[in-house]
Amino acid sequence: MYRLARSSYIESLLPMRRVRRHLITMDLIRKFKKMCVLLALVLAAALPASAYDFEVDGCYYTVVSIPDLTCEFTGGADLTGEVSIPSNVTYMNRMFTVIGVGNNAFCNNSSVSKVKIPACVTKIGKNAFRECGLSEISIPDGVVEIGDNAFFYCPNLNSISLPNSVQKLGINVFASSALSSVKLSDSLEEIPRYTFQWCGNHTKMILPNSVGVIGDYAFNGCCLLYTSPSPRD
């Protein structure tokens, strides 16, 4: 009888223990959320009011997400020659992952000739390399989107290869550049309007099977002699 009564008593306590564990878990979650909010407020208060959020080694960065600790590379004061964008930067004792090349990052910078983009970058912003002295660039597999006018009027850029991760191009992306060789992504479904407008050196284009839409004036002013789809399986 004693054992039976003790067993029944223990069983009666189990729901209370479960409720207590649940309450403790919910309390820990609330404390974690509160810490995240406080961290966000501290970092936000520390960020200067300017076109960029913080500076590391002469390069500028804009925060994308404080909870995720992600940012974009948005330029620098004295960028010349070859530039290698880092995959991570540390600010306020927090390590941020660089996931984008921001809008206007290298715009009108005639001193930069080569840029290496890290594998963690997923987006190249609007006007990122517009009217830039760029002659060589490595776009990693992982970049999904390239914004409007990203490589507009790059007079020294003769060739470019888009990895198969690229799914979207903005308008006017390569217009008025010196491109003579382009490798397009096999994931690209549309070539938007003005994409290659006035690329006078561009004489041949192999379109991926994925392309279903070609926008107005996409090849306007090109010396394009031959356009063909990629071989089908």
Side-chain angles (χ1 to χ4, degrees):
M1 288 293 292
Y2 171 75
R3 290 182 178 177
L4 180 61
R6 188 170 184 273
S7 176
S8 299
Y9 173 71
I10 292 174
E11 288 178 359
S12 69
L13 292 177
L14 288 177
M16 296 178 63
R17 290 179 178 177
R18 293 193 187 101
V19 170
R20 186 179 180 186
R21 280 200 299 267
H22 176 72
L23 291 175
I24 292 172
T25 301
M26 293 301 295
D27 185 56
L28 289 174
I29 291 173
R30 282 193 293 269
K31 288 181 178 178
F32 176 75
K33 288 182 177 180
K34 186 176 180 180
M35 288 177 62
C36 288
V37 171
L38 289 174
L39 174 62
L41 291 174
V42 169
L43 286 175
L47 296 177
S50 61
Y52 57 92
D53 291 329
F54 62 89
E55 179 179 347
V56 176
D57 296 330
C59 294
Y60 306 146
Y61 300 89
T62 299
V63 173
V64 175
S65 170
I66 290 179
D68 295 334
L69 294 177
T70 55
C71 65
E72 290 183 334
F73 179 94
T74 51
D78 299 301
L79 298 178
T80 59
E82 298 184 6
V83 176
S84 182
I85 298 174
S87 55
N88 298 285
V89 288
T90 300
Y91 179 72
M92 295 282 293
N93 295 319
R94 300 286 175 176
M95 182 176 289
F96 286 79
T97 300
V98 180
I99 63 169
V101 180
N103 297 342
N104 306 299
F106 295 90
C107 185
N108 293 313
N109 188 329
S110 59
S111 300
V112 170
S113 59
K114 181 179 180 180
V115 175
K116 184 177 180 181
I117 301 174
C120 47
V121 166
T122 60
K123 182 180 179 181
I124 296 175
K126 297 178 181 179
N127 303 302
F129 298 94
R130 179 172 181 156
E131 299 182 48
C132 177
L134 191 69
S135 61
E136 184 178 345
I137 187 168
S138 174
I139 300 178
D141 190 15
V143 171
V144 176
E145 181 180 352
I146 300 177
D148 299 347
N149 305 297
F151 296 92
F152 174 81
Y153 193 64
C154 290
N156 301 321
L157 187 62
N158 296 315
S159 66
I160 197 165
S161 178
L162 302 184
N164 290 334
S165 58
V166 175
Q167 300 175 12
K168 183 179 179 181
L169 297 177
I171 64 170
N172 226 38
V173 171
F174 301 109
S176 300
S177 290
L179 290 172
S180 59
S181 173
V182 176
K183 191 272 181 185
L184 293 177
S185 163
D186 288 338
S187 302
L188 201 61
E189 296 182 354
E190 178 183 2
I191 298 179
R193 62 185 187 276
Y194 313 122
T195 299
F196 295 101
Q197 180 173 241
W198 302 116
C199 289
N201 295 334
H202 203 175
T203 60
K204 183 178 180 179
M205 169 68 70
I206 298 178
L207 297 180
N209 290 321
S210 57
V211 173
V213 178
I214 296 178
D216 295 338
Y217 306 106
F219 298 99
N220 182 48
C222 292
C223 299
L224 197 63
L225 303 177
Y226 179 62
T227 303
S228 69
S230 301
R232 295 184 183 274
D233 295 333

